[in-house]
């Protein structure tokens, strides 16, 4: 048993190794700060334990007061991995009674950190704050804390996987609530899916405007539900980058407002979040994907520019603008539903761009439920195919003059 009654620093260039089975008791308001390296690698049968000095159940009455004090959430601060820390690892550790002053129990401000098979429990702050792009944080449990995790930015969401949570004050939905300084950018080929959520539910709250960069691809796996919070939140893939939403009939993808009542929200409305923007993206695709309550600032829920994006078996609903806007390219839009959007199901576009439309439906849209052609000059042969109309009606509207 090791007792820390004062702030302890592991300096840059130094390593502190904690052996399997060790118990580290940390005094009130105190934390262990690591600017060097912490190796806390326990085993399944002999975990390393970090707890309060008031916790007599582990290692006995080390504060010598008998039963006068009992442990509680927030007794100690916890562990802090600073900017200069590198190569630190926590495996098979249990950390409890942290979160003094509702601060995170484990704060990670360095790229050099990994954590696996640990339990963070009975704390008064977040179980972990990922304030930097870390190594893998996987197969951990966050139980009975104020919130399981915080400080996660879009750029490193993919390293957080296969974690669980239970009985936390603010619930068990992972919230991507940090960003800025490029951390909203996806700069490698990554997949977000149920494995990156808590308990494998697929539910992830998004508060940031996400941009795919560097010719990379963001793939959303089947069963993913992103709950967007804020009018500026959304996803952009442009200039060669790609967004692939790979839902299935039995496991669709849902991109919607945090207020969506289908996911426990309250007060969802059109324009709650920005939506999706795909431009100059030859490999983007949407399949079995629902986009709801987007269209902030009058945007369409999905905006496609100069991209031949296949959009199949999708639904666009409750947008504050149109359901879909096309300003270039020739997307294939098949088997999709457009309902209850404030504007058109699809923004009027030139006749030639409807060549890839078939078997789509529309209902309850503010500007009507028909395919509307934009005007302009027809410079090559085009065919109006009845299959391109909504609801199999064969009816089209010419929204402006066509030469």
């Amino acid at each position: 048993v090791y007792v820390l009654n004062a702030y302890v620093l592991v300096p840059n260039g130094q390593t502190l190794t904690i052996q399997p089975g060790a118990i580290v008791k940390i005094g009130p308001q105190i934390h262990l700060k690591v600017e060097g390296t912490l190796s806390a690698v326990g085993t399944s049968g002999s975990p390393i334990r970090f707890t309060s000095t008031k916790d007599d159940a582990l290692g006995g009455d080390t504060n010598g007061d008998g039963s006068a004090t009992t442990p509680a959430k927030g007794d100690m601060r916890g562990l802090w991995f600073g900017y200069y820390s590198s190569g630190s690892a926590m495996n098979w550790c249990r950390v409890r009674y942290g979160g003094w002053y509702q601060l995170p129990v484990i704060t990670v401000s360095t790229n050099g950190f990994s954590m696996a098979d640990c339990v963070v429990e009975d704390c008064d702050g977040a179980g972990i704050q990922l304030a930097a792009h870390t190594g893998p944080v996987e197969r951990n449990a966050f139980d009975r804390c104020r919130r399981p995790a915080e400080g996660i930015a879009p750029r490193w969401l993919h390293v957080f996987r296969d974690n669980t949570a239970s009985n936390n004050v603010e619930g068990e939905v992972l919230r991507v609530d940090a960003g800025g300084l490029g951390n909203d950018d996806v700069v490698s080929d990554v997949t977000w899916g149920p494995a990156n959520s808590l308990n494998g539910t697929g539910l992830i709250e998004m508060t940031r405007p996400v941009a795919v960069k560097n010719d990379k691809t963001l793939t959303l796996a089947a069963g993913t539900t992103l709950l967007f919070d804020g009018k500026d939140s959304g996803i952009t893939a442009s200039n060669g980058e790609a967004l692939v939403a790979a839902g299935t009939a039995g496991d669709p993808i849902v991109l919607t407002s945090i207020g969506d009542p289908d996911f426990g929200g309250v007060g969802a409305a059109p324009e709650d979040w920005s939506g999706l923007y795909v431009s100059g993206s030859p490999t983007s695709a949407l399949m079995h994907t629902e986009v709801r309550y987007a269209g902030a600032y009058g945007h369409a829920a999905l905006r496609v520019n100069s991209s031949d994006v296949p959009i199949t078996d999708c639904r666009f609903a409750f947008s504050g603008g149109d359901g879909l806007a096309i300003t270039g390219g020739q997307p294939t839009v098949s088997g999709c539903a457009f309902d209850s959007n404030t504007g058109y199901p699809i923004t009027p576009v030139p006749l030639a761009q409807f060549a890839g439309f078939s078997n789509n439906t529309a209902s309850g849209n503010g500007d009507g439920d028909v395919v509307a052609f934009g005007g302009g000059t027809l410079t090559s042969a085009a065919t109006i195919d009845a299959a391109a109309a909504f609801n199999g009606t064969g009816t089209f509207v010419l929204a402006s003059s066509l030469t």
Side-chain angles (χ1 to χ4, degrees):
V1 178
Y2 299 86
V3 180
L4 309 184
N5 281 320
Y7 162 80
V8 174
L9 171 68
V10 180
N12 186 19
Q14 301 297 314
T15 298
L16 171 63
T17 299
I18 302 177
Q19 298 290 346
I23 298 171
V24 180
K25 293 192 172 185
I26 302 177
Q29 306 178 17
I30 291 171
H31 66 273
L32 170 62
K33 185 172 184 181
V34 181
E35 290 289 359
T37 301
L38 175 69
S39 176
V41 180
T43 68
S44 60
S46 190
I48 295 168
R49 303 172 191 269
F50 297 87
T51 189
S52 165
T53 52
K54 299 177 184 178
D55 187 358
D56 296 348
L58 289 177
D61 182 19
T62 48
N63 64 352
D65 68 352
S67 59
T69 57
T70 55
K73 295 180 177 183
D75 276 354
M76 64 166 179
R77 167 73 188 273
L79 296 92
W80 184 1
F81 296 85
Y83 179 81
Y84 296 104
S85 175
S86 64
S88 292
M90 293 180 66
N91 294 353
W92 294 104
C93 296
R94 298 185 73 96
V95 187
R96 60 184 182 181
Y97 303 125
W100 170 75
Y101 211 68
Q102 298 185 6
L103 293 168
V105 180
I106 300 172
T107 301
V108 182
S109 302
T110 174
N111 295 346
F113 174 85
S114 65
M115 178 176 171
D117 302 303
C118 295
V119 177
V120 182
E121 58 190 349
D122 298 306
C123 58
D124 201 30
I128 190 169
Q129 181 186 67
L130 295 179
H133 185 180
T134 73
V137 176
E138 56 190 2
R139 301 187 307 277
N140 303 292
F142 302 93
D143 304 325
R144 299 181 300 280
C145 295
R146 182 161 298 277
R147 67 192 68 85
E150 67 181 19
I152 299 176
R155 190 168 186 170
W156 56 83
L157 172 59
H158 64 285
V159 307
F160 189 94
R161 55 181 180 260
D162 299 321
N163 298 292
T164 65
S166 65
N167 300 306
N168 293 282
V169 174
E170 296 180 9
E172 279 70 56
V173 178
L174 185 67
R175 186 170 176 84
V176 179
D177 58 0
L181 299 176
N183 290 321
D184 296 321
D185 300 341
V186 173
V187 295
S188 57
D189 293 324
V190 299
T191 297
W192 296 349
N196 303 107
S197 67
L198 291 164
N199 304 320
T201 62
L203 295 171
I204 302 173
E205 295 179 359
M206 306 293 299
T207 68
R208 308 293 304 180
V210 178
V212 186
K213 296 288 185 70
N214 299 347
D215 296 325
K216 302 303 181 182
T217 297
L218 170 61
T219 299
L220 303 180
T224 302
T225 297
L226 300 184
L227 306 173
F228 289 90
D229 186 4
K231 288 185 179 295
D232 293 323
S233 60
I235 301 176
T236 296
S238 59
N239 302 319
E241 290 77 31
L243 170 65
V244 176
T248 66
D251 227 357
I253 291 166
V254 181
L255 310 176
T256 188
S257 164
I258 195 171
D260 193 324
D262 286 350
F263 301 98
V266 177
E271 297 192 64
D272 271 358
W273 61 287
S274 178
L276 311 176
Y277 178 64
V278 176
S279 176
S281 178
T283 57
S284 289
L286 275 73
M287 299 155 282
H288 293 286
T289 298
E290 292 195 25
V291 184
R292 312 179 190 173
Y293 301 108
Y297 312 114
H299 293 158
L302 169 62
R303 292 174 289 157
V304 177
N305 178 47
S306 302
S307 301
D308 298 339
V309 180
I311 305 167
T312 57
D313 301 305
C314 294
R315 180 188 179 213
F316 302 89
F318 310 113
S319 170
D322 300 331
L324 169 64
I326 303 168
T327 55
Q330 195 164 16
T332 300
V333 183
S334 176
C336 295
F338 300 83
D339 59 272
S340 305
N341 298 294
T342 301
Y344 286 101
I346 301 173
T347 305
V349 297
L351 174 60
Q353 288 180 322
F354 280 94
F357 283 52
S358 64
N359 302 315
N360 301 297
T361 64
S363 64
N365 296 283
D367 287 335
D369 298 323
V370 294
V371 171
F373 296 137
T377 300
L378 190 64
T379 58
S380 60
T383 299
I384 299 177
D385 188 339
F390 289 123
N391 308 319
T393 62
T395 302
F396 303 85
V397 168
L398 185 61
S400 57
S401 297
L402 175 66
T403 301

